[in-house]
Amino acid sequence: MEKRKTLVLGIASGTALTVAIVFAVAFVFQNFSETSAVDKPICLPDQQIESAVPFPVAKPAWVPAGYSLQCEKISPYQVIMLYSAKPMTSTDFSAAISKDAAIAVVVVNDETLGGQNTNLMTPQQRLNDTTRLLTPELKEKMQFRYITVNGHPGWAREAGDYGTLTTQYGNGTVISTEQTQEPARVQFYLETTEYVITGFRPADELIKVAESIPTIN
């Protein structure tokens, strides 16, 4: 009988776009587990990124000591910047995303979807929509808090074991449920874009990364 695994992260959203943002980091991790970042063609030269997408992208001016930009990946409505304290290779990637040697990922999302989304909510409305389903108990476990980043609304959470991985048969019978470690996360909202900074680092440090990003809109 077919088995299925469902990963439920410690944040919910009312929009499909925000759900896609939540899973973006896992997608990058999967790509890097196959081939080193040096060899993987998804990593573009630094000078190509800003001209490769039609929406504004800014890089952080500050990252944790010893960290450097290892890879940049683009899709039509998203840019992902991957920072690490050591070169990304297939042999040490699993260690790099563990709590002891974490990477930092900066994701920039074009909320206009290339101009297709003509009814874009305000930054505050998008923040409210992203976090509206969080219960007080989950917020406490996440050490969730609302923040502002250079005047822009956002939120932060600490790393923790509040994700749930459920394995079940195709008929819905649950085989097992286990807690999963989720990285710390900072997200803030601009008029047409939003930034996500995530990694197994203290949330205050990720906020510092966020505050060093020169906001464009």
Side-chain angles (χ1 to χ4, degrees):
M1 185 176 292
E2 180 188 2
K3 292 181 180 179
R4 296 177 181 175
K5 291 186 177 181
T6 303
L7 178 63
V8 179
L9 299 183
I11 186 160
S13 168
T15 64
L17 178 60
T18 306
V19 173
I21 296 167
V22 171
F23 285 98
V25 173
F27 176 76
V28 177
F29 289 172
Q30 183 178 0
N31 275 326
F32 272 87
S33 65
E34 299 169 0
T35 311
S36 74
V38 175
D39 300 327
K40 198 72 176 178
I42 63 170
C43 297
L44 299 182
D46 184 47
Q47 65 272 18
Q48 289 187 10
I49 293 297
E50 292 185 9
S51 60
V53 292
F55 54 93
V57 174
K59 297 179 175 65
W62 183 91
V63 292
Y67 277 53
S68 61
L69 182 63
Q70 296 295 323
C71 180
E72 292 175 283
K73 175 185 179 296
I74 66 169
S75 64
Y77 313 125
Q78 187 179 79
V79 169
I80 300 173
M81 293 168 274
L82 225 140
Y83 293 80
S84 175
K86 54 185 176 181
M88 304 301 298
T89 67
S90 58
T91 56
D92 68 7
F93 187 74
S94 294
I97 63 174
S98 72
K99 291 191 294 184
D100 295 330
I103 63 174
V105 180
V106 178
V107 182
V108 189
N109 295 287
D110 175 18
E111 291 293 273
T112 72
L113 302 181
Q116 299 177 60
N117 185 4
T118 58
N119 296 312
L120 184 62
M121 293 186 291
T122 67
Q124 186 62 50
Q125 287 172 330
R126 281 154 42 217
L127 168 62
N128 295 342
D129 189 61
T130 303
T131 60
R132 65 187 174 87
L133 297 181
L134 290 178
T135 65
E137 294 77 15
L138 186 54
K139 284 183 176 180
E140 182 178 2
K141 191 170 186 178
M142 288 178 164
Q143 300 180 56
F144 175 95
R145 59 194 187 272
Y146 290 104
I147 60 173
T148 57
V149 176
N150 302 329
H152 302 285
W155 57 270
R157 74 177 188 203
E158 298 291 345
D161 60 350
Y162 41 77
T164 303
L165 179 64
T166 300
T167 304
Q168 62 188 50
Y169 290 115
N171 64 7
T173 302
V174 174
I175 302 170
S176 65
T177 301
E178 58 184 291
Q179 296 295 113
T180 59
Q181 280 286 325
E182 302 300 332
R185 183 181 177 98
V186 169
Q187 185 163 336
F188 66 97
Y189 305 79
L190 307 182
E191 290 300 323
T192 61
T193 58
E194 63 188 30
Y195 282 78
V196 179
I197 301 92
T198 187
F200 285 98
R201 308 287 301 189
D204 282 344
E205 195 170 68
L206 299 186
I207 291 173
K208 188 175 179 180
V209 173
E211 290 175 340
S212 77
I213 297 173
T215 51
I216 300 173
N217 62 31

